[in-house]
Amino acid sequence: MTVTAGRPAVSPARESVTMTVGEFLLRRIREAGAGHAFGVPGDFNLELLQQLEDTGALEWIGTCNELNASYAADGYARLNGLAALIVTHGVGALSAINGVAGSYSEHVPVICVCGSIPVRSKERDLGMHHTMADGSGDRFLRAYAQVTAAQARLTPHNAATEIDRLILTAWRDKLPVYMELPSDIAYLDIEVPSAPLMLAEPPSDPERLRSCTAAIAGRMSDAKAPAILVDLDADRFGAAGDLMELAEKLRLPVAVVATAKAVIDETFPYYVGIYNGKASPPHVREAIETSDCLLSIGYRPIDLTSGDFTSALPAGTIYARGHSVDIGHDNYQAVTLKEVLRGVTDAVQQGTNRPARRSAPPPTAIGDRGDGSAMLTQAAYWRAIQGYIRPGDVLIAEDGTSYAAFGLHLPRNCTFVSQAIWGSIGYTVGSLLGTLTAAPARRHLLFVGDGSFQLTAQELSTMLRHDYKPVIFLINNGGYTIERCWLGKTARYNDVATWAYADLPRVFRPGTTARSFVVKTVADLQNALSAPNDNLIFIESIMDPNDAPAGVISGGNSGADLDYGPRGPQHRDNMLLRPSP
Ligand SMILES: Cc1ncc(C[n+]2csc(CCOP(=O)(O)OP(=O)(O)O)c2C)c(N)n1
Ligand SMILES: [Mg+2]
């Protein structure tokens, strides 16, 4: 990687160079693999942005607000491995904190740099804007301590070590970190290491690794029906390929939970589907729950990965995580996931006594399109989208009826992005900006509802500004249909204002050549889907507020019982959208 920042005042004996704090920070972010930074300028970070511009260390992607920037950084990091977010003191940091908390929840390494009030003003007690004007200096650092793995306020003395500590923590733990860079130290010279940042996992403890791999390999080899259950850490720790190799060698079934959709290629012959407790397809449930040696990777049982707490993993399940493994009573520390999987795969014999698994069911054909002039339904919509997906697509699915995207069968090399655990609506619009920036050569498909889109819609303008060419599928059903499945089937609080969504590309970029469609019928949708992908495509599909995919309805109905209990309002007549009889 070329490092453009810094002066070549190398002192070989001490292997250090003199660089400004800001240039060193940008250089380290670049060395950690991020080529871009997302955010909004403010007086306390302008000096850093000037360094960014002068050195060309990173490409700046300015966003409409910091919340969207935090979502964009998250989406970027999911495809790129790590991301940078630059905000200003207080106002910017707190706008971004929801997205950074989401990155924590979903194990996404984002470096949040907050340009903060000058050290001078702290030391001299000068009241500053973007503060509570009460002399308190640590509020935002402390707020971020709740949502990041590590935090620091940089000083000229600690910058060289703290920058590395924080970036390495983010990278190793796959979690966000937060650093405050006071605006009057970015241009100060410090001594920093001349060597590039080493992004390396600390090697496993050799004895622990040997014992752990031997224990797993022994159990898997002896088992009659071993299986693997994959959660999102398999992706974050780069272990999907290792898992497929192990599954192939032992010829064993691999299931994922929803948070890890497409982490295992859905065309992989040993991939069986999405496990979700009682709500799993029967063959997936059987493969996981009757396994006599289940290897689970980073499994975090929450409502939506456990079929509302109906999951029943076998008693002897092995729990492997990024840096530790539990096998029965034994807890192995100082072992890294990839090394464990490598060791197990090397140790086991090629499986011969199990039949090759059938591959995932082939994508359903678009089939009978029925009456093209019929009003568009959710069922027809998702059938048509199934036929539209092609290998290598990046799919981003928002909370809402767009969750039906979890039911799509994906061809080879697709990436599926959702913020299913944190579930902050509007996430996907910002995230799409990030995924587009990280992988501009791929086709990106966003599935979003009108209600969610309204939270972060203006970031469409940034995509147009950068000539990105995603396909945006927006469902206009007049409000929060997924919430109607919980409560308030016809309530006004679940309605949203009517926007002319498909006109927005023109509003956000006058003279744009983006293609916009308003779709009301199946035939309209087919027409929109035939548009070439040489431009941004915006497809607004009008649908009935009471039309929702079966899984969204059942999830909402059982969610209401969990959320509101036996005395809740969901028991009154006609309060929620129920399955049609
Ligand atoms: C920041 C935030 N606020 C509120 C919610 C609650 N919420 C979850 S889904 C949803 C409605 C989504 O509606 P829409 O995007 O229109 O999807 P639809 O189900 O109508 O297709 C709301 C309000 C949330 N998850 N996140
Ligand atoms: Mg809606």
Side-chain angles (χ1 to χ4, degrees):
M1 187 174 304
T2 317
V3 177
T4 47
R7 275 163 251 148
V10 184
S11 133
R14 301 204 315 281
E15 294 180 334
S16 63
V17 288
T18 303
M19 271 180 115
T20 65
V21 172
E23 287 180 359
F24 179 61
L25 171 58
L26 298 170
R27 184 190 122 190
R28 281 311 205 212
I29 290 172
R30 180 81 208 211
E31 288 170 353
H36 301 78
F38 300 89
V40 179
D43 62 322
F44 298 133
N45 69 26
L46 284 172
E47 85 296 345
L48 178 67
L49 297 187
Q50 191 58 47
Q51 288 174 313
L52 184 150
E53 185 137 326
D54 289 344
T55 60
L58 304 175
E59 195 178 322
W60 175 245
I61 308 283
T63 55
C64 302
N65 62 51
E66 290 85 350
L67 175 65
N68 296 357
S70 68
Y71 293 156
D74 181 294
Y76 182 90
R78 287 178 194 234
L79 268 71
N80 181 64
L82 186 130
L85 168 65
I86 301 180
V87 299
T88 195
H89 194 91
V91 290
L94 292 191
S95 287
I97 201 167
N98 175 4
V100 175
S103 297
Y104 195 109
S105 166
E106 307 251 335
H107 295 179
V108 181
V110 171
I111 315 294
C112 179
V113 177
C114 177
S116 47
I117 56 171
V119 181
R120 172 192 169 90
S121 68
K122 280 185 72 71
E123 293 202 341
R124 299 226 171 154
D125 240 351
L126 307 175
M128 299 296 289
H129 62 282
H130 299 339
T131 74
M132 306 305 186
D134 61 358
S136 59
D138 290 339
R139 287 183 201 274
F140 310 126
L141 194 65
R142 281 193 282 132
Y144 264 88
Q146 304 299 317
V147 299
T148 54
Q151 320 75 36
R153 176 171 302 129
L154 300 181
T155 68
H157 300 299
N158 74 14
T161 50
E162 288 293 79
I163 288 170
D164 283 7
R165 177 179 74 89
L166 265 62
I167 294 177
L168 285 172
T169 299
W171 187 81
R172 287 183 177 151
D173 293 346
K174 313 304 176 196
L175 291 171
V177 296
Y178 175 77
M179 62 182 91
E180 291 191 347
L181 173 65
S183 57
D184 56 350
I185 71 161
Y187 277 80
L188 302 186
D189 280 325
I190 55 170
E191 289 264 297
V192 299
S194 55
L197 187 68
M198 281 293 293
L199 283 187
E201 293 264 23
S204 301
D205 174 276
E207 180 284 322
R208 291 284 76 196
L209 182 63
R210 262 196 318 276
S211 306
C212 180
T213 52
I216 299 175
R219 283 172 189 237
M220 291 198 110
S221 301
D222 292 345
K224 290 197 171 49
I228 297 177
L229 179 63
V230 172
D231 205 338
L232 55 76
D233 274 353
D235 168 64
R236 306 301 190 260
F237 287 92
D242 305 278
L243 286 164
M244 288 195 275
E245 226 181 290
L246 176 59
E248 199 150 37
K249 192 163 181 192
L250 281 174
R251 301 172 142 235
L252 54 74
V254 186
V256 303
V257 287
T259 42
K261 180 171 171 69
V263 167
I264 300 298
D265 198 302
E266 294 191 355
T267 61
F268 178 59
Y270 297 93
Y271 171 73
V272 290
I274 296 182
Y275 176 73
N276 188 23
K278 271 191 182 159
S280 315
H283 72 282
V284 175
R285 194 165 174 215
E286 189 199 325
I288 296 304
E289 295 186 0
T290 67
S291 169
D292 57 349
C293 181
L294 179 67
L295 173 61
S296 79
I297 309 296
Y299 179 47
R300 287 190 288 167
I302 63 165
D303 42 10
L304 62 98
T305 60
S306 70
D308 280 332
F309 314 105
T310 60
S311 61
L313 302 199
T317 297
I318 298 166
Y319 292 93
R321 295 171 291 269
H323 301 125
S324 64
V325 179
D326 273 304
I327 309 172
H329 292 298
D330 297 320
N331 172 258
Y332 295 85
Q333 294 292 331
V335 290
T336 63
L337 183 59
K338 276 177 79 71
E339 283 187 302
V340 168
L341 293 174
R342 178 81 269 135
V344 173
T345 305
D346 288 346
V348 294
Q349 296 290 316
Q350 180 87 43
T352 48
N353 56 348
R354 274 183 294 276
R357 292 272 152 181
R358 65 177 175 77
S359 44
T364 31
I366 299 176
D368 176 17
R369 290 181 190 166
D371 176 6
S373 64
M375 296 308 283
L376 189 60
T377 60
Q378 289 270 348
Y381 185 70
W382 293 106
R383 264 201 309 278
I385 285 167
Q386 178 66 74
Y388 187 70
I389 313 289
R390 64 182 192 214
D393 281 348
V394 178
L395 293 87
I396 301 137
E398 184 64 80
D399 204 339
T401 62
S402 296
Y403 266 178
F406 279 93
L408 295 169
H409 296 293
L410 302 184
R412 274 179 305 110
N413 301 327
C414 285
T415 302
F416 191 88
V417 174
S418 79
Q419 200 201 41
I421 308 176
W422 186 244
S424 183
I425 58 169
Y427 161 78
T428 56
V429 183
S431 182
L432 173 64
L433 173 67
T435 64
L436 286 159
T437 306
R442 296 176 69 180
R443 192 174 74 157
H444 299 246
L445 314 179
L446 168 64
F447 302 101
V448 65
D450 48 358
S452 301
F453 185 75
Q454 289 196 0
L455 277 86
T456 47
Q458 64 289 57
E459 223 51 60
L460 178 59
S461 69
T462 314
M463 297 173 215
L464 291 161
R465 181 182 183 187
H466 290 278
D467 284 322
Y468 290 150
K469 298 174 176 52
V471 187
I472 298 178
F473 291 93
L474 181 138
I475 296 175
N476 177 352
N477 52 16
Y480 305 134
T481 292
I482 192 171
E483 302 293 57
R484 301 184 200 280
C485 306
W486 245 267
L487 195 67
K489 179 178 170 187
T490 55
R492 275 182 37 223
Y493 55 70
N494 280 330
D495 299 340
V496 300
T498 307
W499 290 12
Y501 298 96
D503 289 348
L504 287 175
R506 256 182 296 144
V507 172
F508 285 139
R509 188 167 184 193
T512 182
T513 51
R515 295 192 169 84
S516 276
F517 300 87
V518 179
V519 164
K520 292 185 175 145
T521 65
V522 177
D524 291 347
L525 180 59
Q526 290 300 345
N527 174 50
L529 294 180
S530 64
N533 289 114
D534 56 357
N535 235 315
L536 186 144
I537 299 175
F538 194 103
I539 304 175
E540 172 187 353
S541 295
I542 314 283
M543 284 197 247
D544 186 323
N546 287 332
D547 187 5
V552 172
I553 296 179
S554 62
N557 292 179
S558 57
D561 287 335
L562 182 79
D563 284 355
Y564 315 129
R567 308 269 324 264
Q570 78 276 21
H571 299 295
R572 299 197 325 238
D573 273 355
N574 209 26
M575 288 296 279
L576 353 53
L577 187 52
R578 302 250 185 216
S580 41

